Amino acid sequence: MKKGFTVVLLWISLSALSQHIDSDYIEDIDNLLTTKLGIDNDVESFVYDDGNNGYTVKPNITARTTLAINYRFLAFTIGYTPKFLEGPDADIKGKTSTFRLKGDIFFKRWIQSLEYNRIKGYYVDGFKGDLFPGLEDEILVIPSLRTKTISGVTRYKFNDRYSFKAIRNQNEIQRKSAGSFIPNLAYGFFEIKDDEGLQDLTSFGMALNAAYYYTFVINKKWFAAMGLSPGIGVEFNKNITRIDEKTKVDKHTDLVLNLQTNLGLGYNSKSFFS
C-alpha cells in the first residue's frame, strides 16, 4: 500500500467579534470557525512482487480535493474527486470514484480520530514475469474493484503546554516552543473486494505507538514542527477465494512494525495559516 502527499491550497477563517483567551504557551482561538480547501493524492495502490513476477494495481485519478471545517473541539474533513481531477485516459484505464470522511474530537488531553475511506475503480499494469506472458504492455481495467477502510486513533497528550491542535486543525496557536509524549492506539478495518473477481481480502489490525511531537516557535507566527512515532501491533487477515462454485477461506495473523515521521514549517495567525 502506498501513501502520498497532502497540500493545503486555500484556507479561510471566519469569526464574529469575540474575546480570545491567551496563555504563555498556547493561544486558544476555538471560537473561530476555520475552513480549509486542500488537494492530495493520498489514495491506496497495491504492488505484487515475488521477485520474479509482479504487477501494480492503481486507481485512475491524479488527486482528490478535501474540505475541512474546524470549530472548538470538533473537526471534520470530507474528500472526493471532482471531474477535473479524474484521469485523462478513462477510456483506457477506466473511471475511479473516491469518498473520504474523517473527524477529530478533542476532550481535555484525549484526542479521538475516526475515518472512512472508499475507492472504486482500479486498473492493473506493469506485468512482469513468466506468469504473465505477453501482458507486459497491457492494461487490465477492473471497474468493480473497490477498497474500503474504517479506522481510528485514540491519543493521550501528557503536556498541557503543547498544542496538538496547532498542527492538526489550526484552531490553537503555539506561542512558545514545547513538546509532548502522545502515545496512541491505532486500529482499523480494511477490505478489498471485487464482485466479479475470484478473491476478496479483509483485514483488521491494531497498533500501539509511542509518539513524541515538538513544535519550535521561531518567532510570534512562524514555527517548525516535527514528530516521531514508532509502534508495534498485530494484523488479522482473511482471504476468500471462489473457484468452481467452491469457497476457500485462508486466515493468517501478522506482526506489524510501524514508524511514522512528521516534519513541517508553518505560519500561524488568527486569520491565516499555512
Side-chain angles (χ1 to χ4, degrees):
M1 186 180 299
K2 182 176 70 174
K3 292 293 184 180
F5 63 86
T6 300
V7 178
V8 174
L9 291 183
L10 175 67
W11 43 90
I12 305 171
S13 295
L14 307 175
S15 174
L17 294 177
S18 56
Q19 181 179 0
H20 301 290
I21 301 174
D22 295 343
S23 69
D24 290 339
Y25 281 84
I26 299 173
E27 181 176 355
D28 184 359
I29 52 174
D30 273 351
N31 56 342
L32 292 177
L33 175 64
T34 305
T35 61
K36 296 190 293 183
L37 178 63
I39 185 170
D40 67 58
N41 74 337
D42 188 11
V43 293
E44 286 85 0
S45 62
F46 309 91
V47 176
Y48 170 76
D49 193 338
D50 65 3
N52 298 315
N53 304 277
Y55 56 84
T56 303
V57 183
K58 295 179 284 189
N60 187 24
I61 57 173
T62 56
R64 66 179 172 187
T65 58
T66 58
L67 174 65
I69 300 175
N70 307 318
Y71 184 67
R72 294 191 181 275
F73 61 91
L74 294 175
F76 294 98
T77 300
I78 185 170
Y80 71 100
T81 302
K83 192 172 183 61
F84 71 90
L85 288 178
E86 294 178 356
D89 45 4
D91 56 330
I92 300 175
K93 299 179 180 179
K95 293 184 178 181
T96 297
S97 62
T98 68
F99 178 76
R100 183 182 190 182
L101 182 65
K102 67 177 182 178
D104 296 323
I105 301 175
F106 297 83
F107 182 73
K108 295 183 179 179
R109 294 186 176 186
W110 290 97
I111 306 160
Q112 178 64 54
S113 301
L114 296 171
E115 180 172 349
Y116 172 82
N117 197 0
R118 178 185 60 81
I119 302 173
K120 182 178 181 181
Y122 284 80
Y123 69 94
V124 187
D125 67 355
F127 291 100
K128 67 175 184 177
D130 297 335
L131 290 178
F132 312 106
L135 294 178
E136 288 80 2
D137 298 322
E138 296 295 324
I139 295 176
L140 176 63
V141 178
I142 313 179
S144 58
L145 182 65
R146 62 186 183 272
T147 60
K148 179 173 65 176
T149 305
I150 302 174
S151 59
V153 182
T154 303
R155 301 177 176 89
Y156 184 81
K157 184 181 71 169
F158 276 86
N159 186 3
D160 285 333
R161 291 182 170 179
Y162 175 77
S163 174
F164 192 69
K165 286 184 180 181
I167 61 170
R168 177 82 172 184
N169 304 108
Q170 291 82 37
N171 52 2
E172 287 183 347
I173 300 176
Q174 189 81 49
R175 290 305 188 188
K176 289 186 178 182
S177 299
S180 180
F181 179 50
I182 309 180
N184 68 78
L185 178 65
Y187 36 87
F189 169 82
F190 173 78
E191 176 185 70
I192 179 169
K193 190 172 184 179
D194 182 6
D195 294 334
E196 301 177 3
L198 301 178
Q199 286 188 324
D200 297 331
L201 172 68
T202 60
S203 177
F204 175 78
M206 60 180 65
L208 185 62
N209 302 292
Y212 185 83
Y213 296 89
Y214 196 93
T215 299
F216 295 93
V217 178
I218 302 173
N219 55 32
K220 291 183 178 181
K221 296 181 179 180
W222 287 94
F223 66 92
M226 59 184 61
L228 181 65
S229 178
I232 187 171
V234 63
E235 192 174 78
F236 305 94
N237 301 290
K238 181 170 71 172
N239 189 35
I240 303 173
T241 305
R242 296 176 293 272
I243 301 178
D244 298 329
E245 298 183 354
K246 295 181 180 180
T247 300
K248 179 183 178 182
V249 179
D250 295 316
K251 297 181 179 180
H252 57 93
T253 302
D254 296 314
L255 178 68
V256 177
L257 299 178
N258 179 54
L259 179 63
Q260 295 182 354
T261 59
N262 300 83
L263 182 64
L265 180 67
Y267 178 91
N268 216 343
S269 68
K270 295 179 182 179
S271 59
F272 180 86
F273 60 84
S274 66

